[in-house]
Amino acid sequence: EVDEVVEDVDEYVEVDEVVEDVDEYVEIDDIIDSTNGSSNNNKNNRRAASKPDVRVVTLIWPDPNAQSVSVKSDNDNWEKETPLTRGTFGYSVTITTSQSRLEFIFKVDGIWKTSPTYIKCPNYVGGKNNVVFTDSDV
């Protein structure tokens, strides 16, 4: 289902896939009783920990004439600057995330920039970041 049609966009945002066939849960066979340290193998006492869906997002900077392009995102709490790979039509990088909303900003030739290709949102320092939504129901 399409909620919104975006026109006049030079490039597009590509969400490669939402991996939903990851194991639904992880079974924990041995639950350690915190009071006495004993192991309890009773199947009725098994607990399950949900695994988040894994989403693969390809981010694109469409200018092949840039000398260097990297990106930072809230996927890792803005800690890592990830370089994009140059291709014929620009730069790209694929990011794996469990988030349904990914906020990011590009660094192009040493200058932090947003792309007109993506939705913009305000950031906490008074500027703008780009954002993509990786769930179809968001």
Side-chain angles (χ1 to χ4, degrees):
E1 182 177 339
V2 176
D3 293 325
E4 175 184 2
V5 176
V6 179
E7 296 180 11
D8 297 324
V9 176
D10 296 329
E11 295 289 328
Y12 61 92
V13 177
E14 182 177 319
V15 176
D16 293 331
E17 59 184 308
V18 175
V19 179
E20 295 175 353
D21 291 334
V22 178
D23 295 332
E24 293 282 332
Y25 56 88
V26 177
E27 290 186 351
I28 303 171
D29 291 328
D30 297 321
I31 301 172
I32 303 301
D33 181 358
S34 61
T35 58
N36 64 15
S38 67
S39 176
N40 183 349
N41 288 318
N42 184 342
K43 291 187 187 252
N44 294 329
N45 289 331
R46 285 188 180 173
R47 291 188 281 186
S50 295
K51 284 188 177 179
D53 290 338
V54 177
R55 298 156 177 94
V56 180
V57 180
T58 300
L59 300 177
I60 298 168
W61 184 264
D63 181 6
N65 297 319
Q67 296 302 307
S68 67
V69 180
S70 58
V71 67
K72 273 191 163 189
S73 75
D74 64 351
N75 192 45
D76 63 359
N77 202 26
W78 304 99
E79 292 181 13
K80 183 179 170 190
E81 190 173 323
T82 304
L84 279 70
T85 303
R86 186 190 309 227
T88 306
F89 301 106
Y91 288 79
S92 67
V93 66
T94 300
I95 296 175
T96 304
T97 185
S98 61
Q99 298 176 188
S100 61
R101 178 186 185 276
L102 181 67
E103 193 170 324
F104 57 95
I105 190 165
F106 293 99
K107 188 175 185 182
V108 181
D109 296 336
I111 300 170
W112 293 105
K113 296 182 176 185
T114 57
S115 170
T117 304
Y118 301 94
I119 299 169
K120 291 183 184 71
C121 65
N123 64 28
Y124 67 93
V125 295
K128 300 267 185 200
N129 290 332
N130 288 125
V131 64
V132 292
F133 296 92
T134 60
D135 279 347
S136 60
D137 61 343
V138 174

